[in-house]
Amino acid sequence: MTDAYAVQGIPVADLADRFGTPLYIYDADVLAESYTALRRRLHPAVDVFYSAKANPNVSVCAVMRSLGAGLEVSSLAELATARWAGARPSDVIFLGPGKSEEELRACLEYGIAAVVCESLDELAALDRLSPPGTRALLRVNPAFSTKGARLSMGGKPRQFGIDHELLLQSGPSLRALRNVRVVGIHAYMGTRILDADGVVQNTAGILAAARELSAELGFPLETVDIGGGLGIAYFENEKDLDLDQLTKGVNAVVADFTAEHPDCRVIMELGRYLAGRCGLYVVRARYVKCSKGEWFVVTDGGMNHHMAAVGVGSFVKRNFPIRSIDHHDALADRRYTVTGPLCTPDDVLGRRVALPEIRPGDLIGVERSGAYGPTSSPVLFLSHGYPAEVLVSGATAHLVRHRDTVEDLLGRQVLIDQPVPAAGGQETSTANSSTVRRETRQ
């Protein structure tokens, strides 16, 4: 008899039976290992911040906070999550290109480490709202381009940040500030970088930009956020970053910078790199069918929960690591296209995936699914709703998000009470205006 596919010794099949499918399972031990393996190699002047957008579940954020990570947030809900997870205000930064006045006020109320301003207009708006001494970072769109990013977010025309060249001309705007103190810069060049030399190059370029802008514009360097963008390998022919090579290069660049600016806090913000490996998306096969010579497994979950695995918008469909849960060590001698239940041909988790024979009721897992899962997916498409999420910590499974019910999905809708045109030009009336009441969970 073979060993069961398990998370911290708990068979995934047991978790699927207990919590149902589709199901996300997060392994707290893998979260901790991803953080500590980097932390023990990284220069002590660099603080690691977790980008909540990657996986904003409050229990995942709480694990990261307990390990020592700060939190980078980009919405009111993420800010509330950081507070709920126990993050200290001094370990929270807020960024995003379109912050509302409500969001800015919430940042001021909580007293976070810094608001990252992405335009001079936003900086002026923050100044009008702020008490004296409010700290802000300027998000810079650098003059150099990134190397190795799968998605570039700086060094080219973007809605993010302020062009380096424009910032050099912004002295009058900064001198006009009455309440806000600009105390450093933020830059984020791109994401899913698997080339260590690319990360080192980006870090050196950002720190050089910080030096130049500080000298030209006369603001102190108390904090510099160097972004991060570290990737993980998802696809064939990809390899995870060599941490020793990465940190050797980054640490050398940071050491030179901190020798000049010993009191400056350097932040590296990471989301996918910290959370990606910890997650498993589990679906159950409903039907197995052949269409024009190609075998399909139709499961109970797909792009509505895992848009990243589906890869909509990619030029070439590449598969995340996908395996049979029930027969994980059996010979993968079949080829199946694994789909979800949605009414669109885009709903394909994996195309021509090598698997052992799959039968209805079998479980299939999409590995490395801890980042950019349901919150980055169209969970309301066809009104299927949000999947359950489970965090396994200390060999104990914790339900950290309930699966959406029909009542959850309809509970915020309102049926209006007004005449509705009927066939033949006559009018009929709807039922009385009502809402579907949300049942209180016990």
Side-chain angles (χ1 to χ4, degrees):
M1 184 174 179
T2 59
D3 292 332
Y5 187 107
V7 175
Q8 293 190 27
I10 305 174
V12 170
D14 290 353
L15 295 174
D17 289 342
R18 178 180 171 188
F19 298 107
T21 58
L23 175 67
Y24 271 91
I25 303 171
Y26 308 125
D27 187 336
D29 284 355
V30 177
L31 272 174
E33 173 58 24
S34 296
Y35 176 84
T36 56
L38 177 64
R39 177 67 276 171
R40 64 174 174 258
R41 292 173 171 85
L42 201 57
H43 193 290
V46 181
D47 288 342
V48 176
F49 273 50
Y50 174 60
S51 296
K53 65 177 69 66
N55 185 331
N57 184 281
V58 66
S59 291
V60 171
C61 292
V63 170
M64 299 311 307
R65 193 271 312 160
S66 71
L67 293 168
L71 284 173
E72 173 256 296
V73 302
S74 298
S75 69
L76 281 176
E78 286 188 358
L79 181 61
T81 299
R83 299 182 70 166
W84 190 10
R88 296 177 300 182
S90 60
D91 288 330
V92 177
I93 60 173
F94 193 115
L95 62 151
K99 303 178 194 70
S100 67
E101 181 175 315
E102 184 182 10
E103 288 170 332
L104 294 175
R105 289 187 184 279
C107 291
L108 296 172
E109 177 187 350
Y110 192 35
I112 67 172
V115 176
V116 180
C117 291
E118 308 218 13
S119 69
L120 294 176
D121 286 345
E122 182 187 311
L123 184 64
L126 180 65
D127 191 58
R128 290 192 296 271
L129 297 171
S130 297
T134 297
R135 294 162 51 88
L137 303 180
L138 299 176
R139 181 165 181 172
V140 183
N141 185 2
F144 68 93
S145 59
T146 186
K147 176 185 177 184
R150 270 54 176 182
L151 177 63
S152 296
M153 298 180 69
K156 57 177 60 178
R158 284 288 186 260
Q159 69 268 44
F160 309 110
I162 310 163
D163 291 355
H164 184 111
E165 301 85 349
L166 295 178
L167 270 178
L168 289 172
Q169 305 168 26
S170 69
S173 296
L174 300 192
R175 288 190 292 272
L177 298 172
R178 294 293 176 262
N179 299 309
V180 168
R181 292 180 58 240
V182 173
V183 296
I185 73 164
H186 167 287
Y188 191 89
M189 300 304 300
T191 186
R192 282 245 307 128
I193 303 173
L194 294 174
D195 173 30
D197 290 339
V199 177
V200 176
Q201 174 187 301
N202 292 341
T203 303
I206 292 166
L207 293 175
R211 292 185 184 98
E212 180 184 9
L213 290 167
S214 171
E216 290 292 328
L217 298 173
F219 60 79
L221 288 179
E222 297 176 10
T223 302
V224 175
D225 187 327
I226 58 174
L230 278 59
I232 63 173
Y234 289 117
F235 309 121
E236 289 184 3
N237 302 319
E238 288 188 340
K239 292 183 179 180
D240 284 326
L241 281 161
D242 183 325
L243 271 188
D244 291 326
Q245 178 187 356
L246 170 78
T247 51
K248 180 181 178 181
V250 169
N251 290 350
V253 172
V254 169
D256 289 343
F257 178 80
T258 54
E260 302 169 15
H261 304 277
D263 297 325
C264 183
R265 181 186 204 182
V266 180
I267 293 173
M268 176 180 279
E269 60 184 63
L270 302 168
R272 185 191 317 272
Y273 181 81
L274 295 176
R277 283 180 286 255
C278 84
L280 178 72
Y281 178 53
V282 182
V283 295
R284 193 178 295 277
R286 285 182 172 166
Y287 304 103
V288 180
K289 59 192 291 187
C290 184
S291 175
K292 300 185 183 301
E294 183 175 348
W295 282 93
F296 289 80
V297 179
V298 181
T299 75
D300 55 5
M303 67 178 283
N304 52 323
H305 299 156
H306 205 332
M307 179 70 91
V310 171
V312 172
S314 301
F315 290 109
V316 178
K317 165 63 180 170
R318 296 188 293 173
N319 297 331
F320 270 49
I322 298 174
R323 65 191 305 168
S324 167
I325 298 299
D326 303 287
H327 314 289
H328 66 96
D329 57 354
L331 178 65
D333 58 353
R334 310 289 179 94
R335 291 281 178 177
Y336 295 101
T337 292
V338 182
T339 81
L342 307 181
C343 301
T344 169
D346 290 333
D347 188 19
V348 175
L349 288 171
R351 194 174 298 281
R352 294 189 56 77
V353 182
L355 292 167
E357 182 180 3
I358 300 295
R359 297 179 179 178
D362 284 354
L363 296 171
I364 295 172
V366 184
E367 298 175 324
R368 298 198 161 206
S369 295
Y372 299 103
T375 56
S376 298
S377 304
V379 294
L380 295 182
F381 187 49
L382 293 189
S383 298
H384 281 284
Y386 212 95
E389 293 178 301
V390 167
L391 176 72
V392 180
S393 180
T396 300
H398 306 271
L399 180 64
V400 295
R401 179 165 181 133
H402 292 273
R403 184 182 314 282
D404 278 349
T405 65
V406 172
E407 290 77 15
D408 294 330
L409 295 170
L410 299 184
R412 299 185 65 83
Q413 297 189 38
V414 176
L415 177 63
I416 62 173
D417 184 14
Q418 70 175 35
V420 177
Q426 297 180 344
E427 292 185 343
T428 183
S429 178
T430 66
N432 291 333
S433 177
S434 62
T435 59
V436 178
R437 299 296 181 186
R438 186 186 302 267
E439 293 183 2
T440 302
R441 289 193 177 93
Q442 300 299 317

